Amino acid sequence: MPDLPGTDGTEAVVRKELAIAVVSELNLILVGPPGAGKGTQAERLTQDFGLPYYATGNILREAVANGTELGRQAKEHMDAGGLVPDDVIIGVILEALKQDEAADGFLLDGFPRTVPQADALGEALQNAGRKISAVLLIDVPDEEVVRRLSGRRVSKAGRVYHVDFDPPKHEGRCDIDGSELIQRDDDKPETIRKRLSVYHEQTEPLVEYYESRDLLRRFDGTRTPTEVHDHVRATVATLRLEDEL
Ligand code: AP5
Ligand code: MG
């Protein structure tokens, strides 16, 4: 006999939906060296999973462009290829994650980047009764980073292109908004080298940090953007499915 409204059957359905709402929160972190393709993949993943996207590099570049206090504190570190101090960036991200739009999940790109940042994020999420779903490591060797970043071009809104690997339809113009494509200030060869050494010293320890917490998922970032995307999307979709079962 079919379940009638108000009987145990209906309650079971409601209970299951509530359980899914609680566990299907998708809190993702993208990690990888400069030029690994974090921004490239983030654009696709936010569309796949409808997640709000917080990229610390983009947030900081916008602050510099707008001449805000945050931008003033960040500029010299960014221009030199170093990291902005932990206490400056931690507050920015923890505030962002408190917004309503991030209540059901988020995609972080470029944060955390140091162990103290990872500790601060873990503690804030735990205090809010939340947790990280997965840390997605996109890995590429240093020489590939140099090739990619020297040919990277970005639109005003942060859409990423590459002159050879992912060119726009019309040279020098963004496919989406038609704005002029520019080269980032920190994509000069000597700054790229510095960013790479900072990554190996300060960010790479996070690989072990999240591996030991069974949160790390590795992806071969040397494949094409579409191949990397297919792989990441399938992994995240499986994660979500496992959570809902
Ligand atoms: P940020 O903007 O985060 O720079 P990054 O980590 O160095 O990474 P990139 O944005 O350069 O690379 P990406 O992995 O996003 O690659 P993309 O998709 O563009 O940070 C900038 C600065 O801000 C830092 O140096 C620091 O000063 C500061 N900062 C930021 N966060 C901070 C934090 N938490 N704490 C302290 N300081 C912080 O791709 C690169 C190129 O390759 C593109 O041209 C793309 O078209 C191409 N490409 C992408 N995928 C592929 C592929 N599979 N095959 C071929 N080409 C590809
Ligand atoms: Mg990026």
Side-chain angles (χ1 to χ4, degrees):
M1 188 173 117
D3 286 313
L4 297 170
T7 65
D8 284 348
T10 311
E11 280 170 28
V13 169
V14 171
R15 269 200 307 276
K16 181 153 186 270
E17 281 176 358
L18 277 176
I20 288 172
V22 171
V23 295
S24 66
E25 193 181 302
L26 205 50
N27 301 329
L28 300 174
I29 297 175
L30 276 167
V31 175
K38 302 182 294 292
T40 302
Q41 295 303 324
E43 193 191 323
R44 298 167 186 223
L45 293 171
T46 49
Q47 285 171 15
D48 295 335
F49 298 101
L51 296 170
Y53 170 51
Y54 304 105
T56 38
N58 294 357
I59 293 169
L60 292 169
R61 276 184 291 278
E62 198 181 324
V64 171
N66 292 335
T68 65
E69 175 58 20
L70 173 64
R72 199 191 55 71
Q73 291 176 313
K75 188 174 181 342
E76 82 182 81
H77 302 285
M78 296 176 78
D79 285 350
L83 294 184
V84 171
D86 285 338
D87 56 340
V88 172
I89 195 70
I90 287 172
V92 172
I93 286 300
L94 297 191
E95 270 313 302
L97 297 185
K98 284 186 200 154
Q99 294 175 81
D100 286 349
E101 65 167 20
D104 293 333
F106 53 78
L107 178 63
L108 287 177
D109 164 0
F111 185 97
R113 230 174 171 103
T114 63
V115 169
Q117 290 180 20
D119 285 340
L121 176 66
E123 195 184 316
L125 289 176
Q126 195 179 15
N127 289 342
R130 308 176 70 180
K131 61 185 175 63
I132 296 165
S133 309
V135 176
L136 313 168
L137 169 68
I138 304 183
D139 214 3
V140 297
D142 289 7
E143 44 309 345
E144 177 68 10
V145 166
V146 177
R147 267 193 330 138
R148 286 188 186 179
L149 294 187
S150 14
R152 172 164 62 185
R153 300 292 181 273
V154 288
S155 75
K156 197 162 185 296
R159 168 77 165 83
V160 182
Y161 297 87
H162 191 282
V163 289
D164 300 317
F165 310 137
D166 188 12
K169 292 194 183 80
H170 303 284
E171 200 185 325
R173 294 274 155 202
C174 176
D175 295 349
I176 314 287
D177 61 18
S179 66
E180 189 190 348
L181 300 181
I182 55 152
Q183 195 161 19
R184 264 171 50 174
D185 287 343
D186 58 353
D187 280 348
K188 288 181 249 142
E190 64 279 15
T191 320
I192 295 171
R193 291 278 170 208
K194 169 73 179 163
R195 286 163 61 202
L196 270 169
S197 74
V198 167
Y199 173 78
H200 292 305
E201 275 165 32
Q202 301 198 49
T203 308
E204 219 164 24
L206 294 182
V207 172
E208 164 62 28
Y209 181 100
Y210 285 122
E211 201 153 42
S212 68
R213 287 162 176 77
D214 201 22
L215 288 170
L216 196 83
R217 300 287 182 278
R218 284 173 192 268
F219 302 92
D220 176 3
T222 63
R223 313 282 284 269
T224 66
T226 302
E227 285 169 336
V228 178
H229 174 228
D230 288 346
H231 190 185
V232 177
R233 186 184 44 192
T235 301
V236 174
T238 308
L239 268 176
R240 177 169 255 186
L241 207 65
E242 282 170 1
D243 244 8
E244 289 178 4
L245 289 178

